[in-house]
Amino acid sequence: MTEFKRYDNPSTQPPTPGIGGDESTRATLNELSKTAAELVRIVSVRKWLLFIPFCIATTGAFVMSLYVPRQYVASTLFERRDDPVLVNLPRNDGAGAFRAFRQSLVQDITSQKEILEMVQKLNLADRYPLTQAEKQKAGEKAESKEWRTRKIAGKITAGLQVIFHQQSVLLDTIEITFTADRPEMMSEILDGVRDHYIEMTQRRITKLLERTKDYFESEVAKRRITMDALEDDLIKFKTEHRGLDPLNPTASIVQLASLRNQQLNLQRRRREIETQLQERRRFLKDGGGAGEIVLPGTLTDSIRIDRPAMNPEARQLVTEIGQLSRQIAELKITRGMTDRHPDVVALFTKQQLRKRELAQHQQVGVHSVSVNGIAVDLNDQIASIATDPGTPPKSQAEVEVRILERMIADHDEEMERVEGEVAAFEAMQLAALSHNKEFRSRQAQVDRAQQELSLHQGYADLVGRVLAAESSERGIKFEKVKPAMGSSLPTSPRMPTVFLLALIAGGVTGIVMVLLAELFDRTIRTRDQVLRGLNLPVLESIDEIITSAVRRKRFIVRRILAPSAAMACLIVVCATAGIAYLSLNNRDLYERALQVPRQKLSSVLHAWNNQATVSQIDLSSMEAGR
């Protein structure tokens, strides 16, 4: 159950927030005001203890900043566009891979060896100044040009940094930064580093392309020798095993089918001729010419003398020449052979030999007679009887019997030849089947060698074209995006940083000194200090009695000495701040300003050394006189 308390007396009403009734808030404000008043009192009392350490610490900070090493930075930006042919160039044993150039880019730029070569090329040993501290530390070695060259190269190498802003297979955007303790010649050095890298890269790429071209050309020569040997071995194998053609297996089937078809046609025509021969023999056996006997299937109307005929040997030569022509045509059509192929050359040579033999067997007096479209060689007498329409039936039948017998003999001879060819072709096919696997293996070796030869020849031609482009500066392209630029202002330390740290050091030093004085100073200056220290009530306080002499002394101190001391401190602080500013923002003026005191100091030290030497000589002379 909730209780509600009612305030009938206004004096017992709860305070309203924000209307002056919060005692804790007023107490807090009183404490803050007392604290602020105490701080103001402390500052007014300890103002010189705050001001003097502040000036001393600030001046010391400015002086120390003069000895902090300066860092100056210069940078340049350029693009490197790679040729796609070089990027995709295969690695080879003769020259390596082009990708190694991209992987070693940073090392190539910052290499001690390459930087040393660049320093010698620009003659920086005589032009780049070394600091006095470096010369004093080196001693007599500082006079050696070789030592100075190595020292400068080491400083440049330590200050170089390579940054990739864009990195891809064909395009690299590269920034080179150089950090040094002196701003002199930074742009020239950075230009030298970049140009030396470009020249070195172009030179190395040219050598790589030359070695690569030589490598591929030597590989092409080796593979050409290998391919020629394999082709000769394959041709020899095919010559020893005729009929091999695994790449075109239907060619042998077609040839064998053609021979068998020719064999069937010869058998069919021989049966027809035998039928006609039997009819004529039966006609002659029955008496021939008795009554009106009609010669069955007479050949008179179908006999036609075409031309002077050849003897059987010449006819055999003609047939063989025709077969050779067909074989040559089949090799060219079905197997794609050329006139220079060994098989074609061998058949053509044999054909020419048969043609010369045929020319020697030409005879006159023998005619080629066509009987039902079949050529038969007959002498003049038989041919005249066969073609004379007045010849008696019996004589006509006798002539036709002789013609048919000759036709059967020719068919038997042709049949024997065709059967021999079929048997030889079947035997050749059986032998070829047993060597097909080896033939395929040899053919595959030839094809593989041909492919490797073509591949390496293509690479050699490609590298040759790229080498020509690289020689005319059309291969790898370098484009300067931003020239080498350096700032006369140091990047470290920066002027705002130096001034801020100096002021912070002065302020912290002054505050620490005031806190220490308040902590260890037991002097009582106020009623509150008495109350807090002795815990006794203060009935009355008497101020310090100031006489005229004290008043005059205080006037001199406050009006003359204190302002003069404050002004002197401020002048020292401003002077050191100005020197620090010049050392950061105008180094040339700072160096020129320091030359005067340095020269005077050097002359004083030199005179003092001379005087000390003279005094030592006089003492030595006096001792010798004694």
Side-chain angles (χ1 to χ4, degrees):
M1 184 174 180
T2 305
E3 291 184 356
F4 296 93
K5 188 174 182 180
R6 179 178 178 181
Y7 291 92
D8 296 329
N9 190 354
S11 61
T12 60
Q13 292 290 338
T16 303
I19 313 181
D22 194 352
E23 296 293 338
S24 62
T25 302
R26 286 197 298 270
T28 302
L29 292 176
N30 291 333
E31 289 295 330
L32 289 177
S33 61
K34 289 180 180 181
T35 303
E38 186 66 17
L39 289 176
V40 171
R41 184 195 64 80
I42 292 173
V43 170
S44 63
V45 173
R46 311 288 187 183
K47 55 181 176 294
W48 290 105
L49 195 58
L50 176 66
F51 180 73
I52 298 299
F54 169 80
C55 293
I56 294 174
T58 304
T59 302
F62 283 131
V63 172
M64 290 178 61
S65 70
L66 299 178
Y67 297 94
V68 175
R70 269 53 172 166
Q71 298 292 330
Y72 298 88
V73 177
S75 64
T76 182
L77 190 68
F78 66 97
E79 289 182 349
R80 167 176 158 169
R81 299 181 180 272
D82 297 329
D83 194 321
V85 176
L86 290 177
V87 173
N88 298 321
L89 194 66
R91 181 178 181 85
N92 56 82
D93 298 334
F98 174 77
R99 297 182 181 89
F101 286 98
R102 300 186 67 252
Q103 296 171 356
S104 64
L105 187 145
V106 176
Q107 183 179 358
D108 292 340
I109 294 177
T110 60
S111 170
Q112 177 79 17
K113 178 181 176 182
E114 301 301 333
I115 297 300
L116 186 63
E117 183 178 344
M118 184 272 298
V119 171
Q120 293 173 348
K121 182 179 179 182
L122 297 180
N123 194 23
L124 294 179
D126 298 332
R127 301 169 54 215
Y128 189 77
L130 295 176
T131 62
Q132 194 67 27
E134 291 174 341
K135 292 181 180 180
Q136 292 177 356
K137 184 178 180 180
E140 296 180 356
K141 293 190 296 183
E143 302 298 329
S144 172
K145 185 174 182 179
E146 181 180 358
W147 180 88
R148 292 198 306 272
T149 301
R150 294 185 178 276
K151 181 67 175 178
I152 295 171
K155 292 178 65 176
I156 294 175
T157 303
L160 286 177
Q161 184 180 7
V162 180
I163 303 172
F164 289 93
H165 290 279
Q166 180 179 355
Q167 192 172 15
S168 62
V169 177
L170 301 178
L171 175 63
D172 295 323
T173 303
I174 307 159
E175 182 182 11
I176 305 176
T177 62
F178 175 46
T179 304
D181 56 354
R182 302 177 69 89
E184 293 84 359
M185 300 179 64
M186 293 189 66
S187 298
E188 182 180 355
I189 291 173
L190 203 54
D191 282 335
V193 171
R194 181 198 59 215
D195 296 340
H196 180 74
Y197 165 72
I198 293 174
E199 293 174 3
M200 178 201 64
T201 302
Q202 291 175 341
R203 186 169 59 250
R204 289 177 61 189
I205 288 175
T206 300
K207 291 182 180 179
L208 168 70
L209 292 175
E210 290 175 351
R211 292 197 301 267
T212 303
K213 183 180 178 183
D214 294 339
Y215 169 78
F216 282 122
E217 287 180 348
S218 64
E219 291 296 317
V220 166
K222 292 178 183 178
R223 280 163 172 74
R224 181 172 284 113
I225 293 173
T226 303
M227 192 191 71
D228 292 342
L230 291 173
E231 284 186 342
D232 293 341
D233 185 60
L234 181 63
I235 292 172
K236 182 179 178 181
F237 184 78
K238 290 172 65 176
T239 304
E240 294 175 354
H241 307 86
R242 301 183 62 84
L244 286 173
D245 193 5
L247 302 178
N248 189 12
T250 59
S252 58
I253 298 175
V254 171
Q255 291 179 1
L256 184 60
S258 176
L259 288 175
R260 287 176 175 170
N261 188 34
Q262 185 179 358
Q263 187 179 20
L264 293 175
N265 290 333
L266 289 173
Q267 292 174 355
R268 178 180 56 77
R269 284 190 294 174
R270 190 181 188 288
R271 287 194 296 270
E272 292 176 356
I273 294 172
E274 285 182 350
T275 301
Q276 294 182 5
L277 180 60
Q278 291 174 3
E279 290 176 353
R280 278 145 184 82
R281 286 177 176 174
R282 192 180 302 112
F283 173 76
L284 292 175
K285 185 177 180 180
D286 292 341
E292 294 184 359
I293 300 174
V294 180
L295 184 63
T298 180
L299 301 177
T300 303
D301 297 335
S302 62
I303 296 177
R304 178 174 57 84
I305 300 177
D306 295 331
R307 54 179 175 78
M310 297 175 288
N311 56 25
E313 294 181 358
R315 185 168 175 271
Q316 179 66 28
L317 290 174
V318 171
T319 303
E320 189 173 353
I321 290 171
Q323 292 176 351
L324 291 173
S325 299
R326 288 192 299 272
Q327 290 179 5
I328 292 174
E330 288 177 357
L331 290 177
K332 289 182 178 181
I333 295 172
T334 60
R335 302 185 63 176
M337 295 182 180
T338 61
D339 292 336
R340 292 183 294 179
H341 195 276
D343 293 350
V344 177
V345 172
L347 293 175
F348 184 75
T349 303
K350 185 176 180 180
Q351 186 185 44
Q352 295 298 323
L353 181 62
R354 295 295 181 268
K355 287 183 178 180
R356 287 195 294 270
E357 293 177 0
L358 177 63
Q360 297 175 0
H361 286 83
Q362 294 289 345
Q363 294 184 0
V364 182
V366 178
H367 298 271
S368 177
V369 180
S370 293
V371 180
N372 291 331
I374 301 174
V376 184
D377 295 334
L378 302 174
N379 55 27
D380 294 340
Q381 182 179 3
I382 297 176
S384 62
I385 295 174
T387 56
D388 186 5
T391 303
K394 185 176 181 180
S395 300
Q396 181 72 27
E398 291 175 352
V399 169
E400 290 183 358
V401 166
R402 297 181 63 181
I403 292 174
L404 293 172
E405 288 176 350
R406 182 60 182 272
M407 291 174 65
I408 289 176
D410 291 344
H411 273 71
D412 290 342
E413 183 179 353
E414 183 69 15
M415 281 283 294
E416 183 178 357
R417 182 189 66 79
V418 172
E419 288 176 355
E421 289 185 2
V422 170
F425 199 88
E426 290 177 346
M428 185 173 61
Q429 260 194 337
L430 292 175
L433 290 175
S434 61
H435 295 89
N436 269 344
K437 184 176 181 180
E438 184 176 358
F439 177 81
R440 290 192 185 95
S441 176
R442 292 173 184 259
Q443 185 66 48
Q445 292 178 359
V446 172
D447 295 340
R448 187 163 52 252
Q450 179 65 38
Q451 292 176 358
E452 293 180 355
L453 176 62
S454 301
L455 181 64
H456 284 77
Q457 184 64 52
Y459 281 140
D461 296 340
L462 193 61
V463 172
R465 291 194 297 270
V466 176
L467 181 59
E470 187 67 25
S471 302
S472 59
E473 298 183 355
R474 292 185 293 107
I476 292 184
K477 296 181 180 179
F478 292 91
E479 183 178 353
K480 300 174 184 177
V481 179
K482 185 182 75 172
M485 296 177 60
S487 176
S488 60
L489 301 179
T491 57
S492 174
R494 294 182 178 274
M495 184 183 64
T497 305
V498 170
F499 275 69
L500 180 62
L501 291 178
L503 294 176
I504 291 175
V508 170
T509 303
I511 292 172
V512 170
M513 295 301 294
V514 170
L515 291 177
L516 290 176
E518 284 294 317
L519 183 62
F520 295 103
D521 188 5
R522 299 299 182 181
T523 304
I524 298 175
R525 292 183 174 87
T526 63
R527 295 165 54 95
D528 294 336
Q529 289 179 342
V530 175
L531 182 61
R532 287 197 305 269
L534 301 178
N535 198 17
L536 295 175
V538 179
L539 301 178
E540 189 62 42
S541 62
I542 302 173
D543 292 335
E544 182 183 1
I545 300 173
I546 301 175
T547 63
S548 59
V550 174
R551 188 180 294 109
R552 185 168 53 255
K553 182 180 178 180
R554 288 185 177 182
F555 177 81
I556 293 172
V557 171
R558 292 178 180 178
R559 301 300 179 183
I560 299 174
L561 297 180
S564 299
M567 184 61 66
C569 291
L570 291 176
I571 290 173
V572 172
V573 172
C574 293
T576 54
I579 295 173
Y581 174 82
L582 286 179
S583 68
L584 293 172
N585 282 21
N586 197 336
R587 185 176 179 83
D588 294 337
L589 181 59
Y590 172 74
E591 293 290 342
R592 289 197 302 269
L594 288 181
Q595 287 297 325
V596 176
R598 284 176 180 173
Q599 291 175 359
K600 290 185 177 181
L601 180 61
S602 177
S603 62
V604 170
L605 292 176
H606 183 68
W608 184 80
N609 290 332
N610 290 337
Q611 186 177 1
T613 304
V614 171
S615 300
Q616 188 176 4
I617 293 174
D618 293 340
L619 290 174
S620 300
S621 300
M622 291 174 64
E623 290 179 358
R626 291 178 182 177

